[in-house]
Amino acid sequence: MQFVASEHPHRRLNPLTGQWVLVCPHRTQRPWSGQQEKPQKNELPDFDPSNPLCPGVTRPNGVETPAYKSTYVFENDFPALVEVVPVPPNSDDPLFQIAPARGNCRVMCFHPKSNLTLPTMSAEEIGVVIDEWISQFNELSAKYAWVQIFENKGATMGCSNPHPHCQIWSCSFLPTEPQLKQERLRSYYTTNERPMLSDYVERELQRQERIVIENPDWLVVVPFWATWPFETMLISRNNNKRINDLTLEQRQNLAVTIKELTTKYDNLFQCSFPYSMGWHGAPTGPEHAHASSAHWTLHAIYYPPLLRSATVRKFMVGFELLAMAQRDLTPEQAAQRLREVDGKCHYLEK
């Protein structure tokens, strides 16, 4: 019997982390009798006087949010990391290691209106968001080893406020995921004298199996090793190392790409598609200022949980928590579905 990737169980390696993903495409043949939901409506007001992220509303700590007209950034009222904190004592016990953790946490509002999201904003408005990302990155990267820009969209992803916003956490240390990538990317570069993700972009362009969006500056693919059903990676085609390397034209193309991708997501199940996304690039701060970043390529990752409909999501439980990540729908099938769905006109506009 000949192996067919779209039919037979197999494992795929994520070269960025060294972890394997179990792919079980035969499970998609299971009967599904779930309901088909009606298109989700946007019933949020553009201004909510009880929402602390809206302009002019007082936040729980007593600080009034200013009447901003575009983006707005402020220090998180309940930060996970703080800049001034005692240093823990050294431990010589290998089973009880502890290390310092300093940092900064900020919240960034994308727009003054609460009923907008990135796919329903204009490309020009998304461009303003990108410019602010870069401005924040320029400031924070001078001090911190890692600046994590990320967005949790939707209550499913733990977002406690529907107002369009993201967070920016800066760390005095290199977190686990970036550390794994740092080691794997550097090892690949040492062996091949080429950045891993530059090679990956070339391979995906040759194969044309998992591409969702393609333009001169950016490539969006469902990664060969994707874990989540409709996971995507947005990769720089210009081998940029960090988000503040982008030219004006690359920023403009990025805004168009983000709008198209997130519109495709919303149109897939005709809902405000939840996800967690974030940017990864070369480490920063004084410790990495003079280190080579040749092995890095700027990229963003989107992790959406929805599986079959607006209400049916994938859970990482059981075998996935205790053994290894697993998926049913193949990355190629997911890419085809995303590729075929409209990315130009949002379903709420039809």
Side-chain angles (χ1 to χ4, degrees):
M1 184 170 58
Q2 187 176 5
F3 171 77
V4 179
S6 61
E7 298 178 9
H8 302 131
H10 58 281
R11 293 178 297 149
R12 300 190 183 192
L13 177 67
N14 181 343
L16 291 169
T17 64
Q19 298 174 340
W20 290 83
V21 179
L22 177 62
V23 184
C24 307
H26 59 293
R27 283 165 54 91
T28 59
Q29 304 304 315
R30 291 179 299 167
W32 166 247
S33 57
Q35 65 180 20
Q36 297 296 316
E37 294 88 358
K38 295 180 179 179
Q40 188 181 87
K41 298 179 180 179
N42 184 357
E43 298 178 340
L44 291 171
D46 60 5
F47 176 78
D48 180 355
S50 65
N51 190 324
L53 297 188
C54 281
V57 176
T58 301
R59 303 203 299 272
N61 63 352
V63 175
E64 182 179 302
T65 299
Y68 63 96
K69 302 296 183 182
S70 181
T71 58
Y72 170 58
V73 181
F74 63 95
E75 300 291 325
N76 196 317
D77 297 333
F78 306 98
L81 292 165
V82 294
E83 295 180 339
V84 180
V85 61
V87 176
N90 291 326
S91 172
D92 56 5
D93 190 323
L95 300 180
F96 298 97
Q97 291 294 298
I98 190 169
R102 295 182 298 102
N104 175 277
C105 296
R106 295 179 180 178
V107 176
M108 174 180 158
C109 297
F110 293 157
H111 198 281
K113 292 185 177 180
S114 273
N115 59 351
L116 292 180
T117 58
L118 288 175
T120 58
M121 290 166 56
S122 68
E124 291 73 22
E125 290 170 328
I126 297 174
V128 174
V129 170
I130 294 168
D131 288 344
E132 187 59 43
W133 281 345
I134 292 171
S135 176
Q136 293 295 313
F137 186 88
N138 283 335
E139 175 192 346
L140 295 164
S141 64
K143 181 176 182 179
Y144 292 104
W146 189 256
V147 179
Q148 184 60 69
I149 299 169
F150 66 97
E151 179 193 6
N152 293 327
K153 181 185 177 217
T156 301
M157 302 309 295
C159 181
S160 59
N161 192 308
H163 194 92
H165 72 284
C166 71
Q167 298 187 56
I168 306 171
W169 290 19
S170 304
C171 311
S172 61
F173 53 92
L174 205 54
T176 303
E177 288 294 314
Q179 181 64 52
L180 278 173
K181 289 187 177 181
Q182 171 85 322
E183 295 167 359
R184 303 283 297 188
L185 291 171
R186 181 184 287 149
S187 175
Y188 183 95
Y189 189 87
T190 300
T191 302
N192 299 280
E193 299 183 343
R194 291 264 305 167
M196 179 195 291
L197 287 180
S198 291
D199 282 353
Y200 180 62
V201 165
E202 286 190 10
R203 304 283 210 285
E204 288 288 13
L205 289 170
Q206 291 168 3
R207 291 173 178 254
Q208 293 288 314
E209 293 176 312
R210 287 168 292 273
I211 294 175
V212 178
I213 299 170
E214 175 187 351
N215 62 50
D217 294 315
W218 302 95
L219 185 72
V220 178
V221 299
V222 176
F224 176 76
W225 53 83
T227 297
W228 293 92
F230 294 97
E231 176 182 332
T232 56
M233 181 180 288
L234 194 168
I235 314 171
S236 166
R237 294 184 63 179
N238 298 285
N239 200 28
N240 301 108
K241 306 303 179 183
R242 302 178 178 94
I243 197 168
N244 60 347
D245 292 339
L246 300 178
T247 65
L248 176 60
E249 185 176 0
Q250 290 164 2
R251 296 183 196 187
Q252 292 171 339
N253 272 338
L254 176 58
V256 172
T257 305
I258 289 175
K259 180 171 176 61
E260 183 174 355
L261 175 59
T262 54
T263 298
K264 282 178 174 288
Y265 273 149
D266 278 14
N267 285 347
L268 184 63
F269 296 133
Q270 296 192 316
C271 68
S272 186
F273 206 82
Y275 58 72
S276 281
M277 71 78 65
W279 286 98
H280 280 181
T284 56
E287 182 182 349
H288 302 281
H290 304 292
S292 173
S293 60
H295 50 292
W296 275 91
T297 302
L298 177 69
H299 60 285
I301 315 99
Y302 285 77
Y303 296 128
L306 297 187
L307 177 60
R308 294 193 186 98
S309 71
T311 58
V312 178
R313 59 164 294 183
K314 176 178 177 61
F315 292 92
M316 291 290 185
V317 296
F319 184 87
E320 288 135 321
L321 280 180
L322 299 167
M324 67 188 302
Q326 181 271 335
R327 63 178 294 131
D328 296 345
L329 190 71
T330 69
E332 295 75 29
Q333 292 166 336
Q336 181 178 355
R337 292 189 61 182
L338 286 172
R339 191 165 52 246
E340 292 175 349
V341 74
D342 186 7
K344 304 300 182 183
C345 182
H346 196 274
Y347 77 92
L348 289 175
E349 300 171 350
K350 296 179 179 179

